Amino acid sequence: MKKVLGMGAALVDVLANVSDEWIASQGVQKGGMNMVDWPQMEKFLGSLDKPIRVPGGSTCNTMVGVAKLGGRAAFISKVADDELGHLFQEHLKNSGVESKMGISDVATGCVFSAVTPDAQRSMWTFLGASDFLVSEDFVPALFDDVALLYAEGYRAFNADCFKKSFTLARSLGVETALDFSSFGVVEACRKTFDELFENKMIDIIIANEDEAFAYAGVKEEAALEVLAKKAKVAVVKIGKRGALISKNGVVTRVQAGPAKAIDTTGAGDLWASGFIYGYMNGWDMERAGNLGSVVSNEVVQVMGAQIPEEGWKRILAAGV
């Protein structure tokens, strides 16, 4: 298959178990994503007892999954020449993802993921160096041998860079995919998304049920219908009940995996890995969606967004 180029934040995930009461005490909506500055992030990190550190970021997780499945994946973002930046670069190399990384003077970004007993995660994000990816970083040579640009909605906060990446991809005949990323992102960046939809710049939209509702104002099948008018392929993930996929007016429902989740961090990212891998190989929507469910089923059984090698062996043995 040709290459998938992922555009997203280069972040190191810091994971810790917390109570529902702790989340309530922060004054935020459970399950959301909150942007913070470095002093706020330092305060969080200083209060944690032996947190788990895992290189990640939504799109990076998806590209790692594509590569682990046997696909070709590259990733563009920025890190610093610091400990977390080195950890991130090594992670790409070890995962078989081609690095298109730039170096910034600003510290490497990180995300604090607070996981409650129901396996839901609430996030606080310091974008750091990732926020310094700019329009000038996107040049035609970046898309050599690339068939699909995959971007997380988080990047739309830098609207000029976000729109430049999609416009350039489209001008070069590269397909495009957008993952909404968070209901907060949808609310904050809707104007940018709508501009891209109006100009037919998006081929694939991927959303979970909260994100779909934030955009469409309706739920599940009705939300899918709204999104399907914006792109060739639309996906609404509905948690334990699987996902709904619309392509060219045909709706496909796929089931979720049977595992009991201990942490949903990365579940949507890895679902996208399976789906995108199948899409790039010309599979029908049911087969591609089912692979997404298989991959997602593995990641919810571990803390963090990294599937251990034995998990990938089970996935590949199931017949990718």
Side-chain angles (χ1 to χ4, degrees), residues 3-255:
K3 195 185 304 177
V4 182
L5 173 64
M7 175 180 68
L11 304 169
V12 175
D13 292 329
V14 181
L15 301 110
N17 291 306
V18 302
S19 65
D20 286 314
E21 291 75 19
W22 188 89
I23 295 291
S25 74
Q26 302 304 308
V28 299
Q29 185 173 345
K30 182 179 174 181
M33 188 279 288
N34 309 279
M35 305 301 295
V36 297
D37 58 18
W38 182 241
Q40 289 174 294
M41 181 59 73
E42 278 192 308
K43 184 178 178 180
F44 278 132
L45 300 184
S47 68
L48 302 177
D49 181 28
K50 297 180 180 178
I52 299 171
R53 294 195 317 171
V54 184
S58 178
T59 295
C60 177
N61 294 336
T62 300
M63 294 304 101
V64 167
V66 170
K68 290 287 189 179
L69 288 167
R72 297 174 61 206
F75 182 68
I76 181 170
S77 189
K78 287 189 178 179
V79 292
D81 183 13
D82 58 15
E83 181 185 0
L84 293 184
H86 299 161
L87 180 67
F88 192 93
Q89 292 273 40
E90 191 68 18
H91 173 61
L92 291 181
K93 180 180 179 180
N94 293 340
S95 300
V97 177
E98 182 182 351
S99 174
K100 299 290 186 180
M101 304 296 290
I103 302 298
S104 170
D105 293 333
V106 179
T108 300
C110 58
V111 177
F112 170 43
S113 291
V115 183
T116 43
D118 61 357
Q120 180 68 283
R121 87 290 185 251
S122 303
M123 298 181 293
W124 285 261
T125 300
F126 166 66
L127 289 172
S130 295
D131 219 19
F132 291 84
L133 188 70
V134 294
S135 299
E136 289 74 20
D137 292 314
F138 287 86
V139 296
L142 183 67
F143 290 92
D144 287 349
D145 205 27
V146 170
L148 178 72
L149 171 67
Y150 177 96
E152 61 193 57
Y154 296 126
R155 296 288 77 217
F157 284 104
N158 184 338
D160 290 342
C161 181
F162 195 72
K163 289 186 285 189
K164 168 70 177 297
S165 66
F166 280 94
T167 302
L168 180 58
R170 175 62 84 238
S171 73
L172 296 171
V174 174
E175 286 193 280
T176 59
L178 166 66
D179 189 304
F180 272 162
S181 298
S182 163
F183 56 80
V185 170
V186 174
E187 292 164 354
C189 301
R190 184 185 184 109
K191 182 179 178 181
T192 297
F193 294 159
D194 281 341
E195 183 177 336
L196 290 171
F197 294 151
E198 183 178 346
N199 291 315
K200 306 297 182 185
M201 293 290 175
I202 311 293
D203 293 300
I204 303 169
I205 303 170
I206 299 177
N208 67 23
E209 51 193 329
D210 292 334
E211 296 153 9
F213 180 74
Y215 185 83
V218 290
K219 296 184 177 181
E220 300 193 12
E221 288 91 345
L224 183 72
E225 186 176 347
V226 171
L227 295 179
K229 294 176 181 178
K230 308 294 183 181
K232 181 171 63 177
V233 177
V235 175
V236 176
K237 297 169 291 181
I238 49 177
K240 297 177 181 178
R241 291 171 294 125
L244 301 168
I245 306 167
S246 176
K247 181 181 181 183
N248 298 328
V250 178
V251 176
T252 301
R253 179 184 289 267
V254 296
Q255 299 301 311

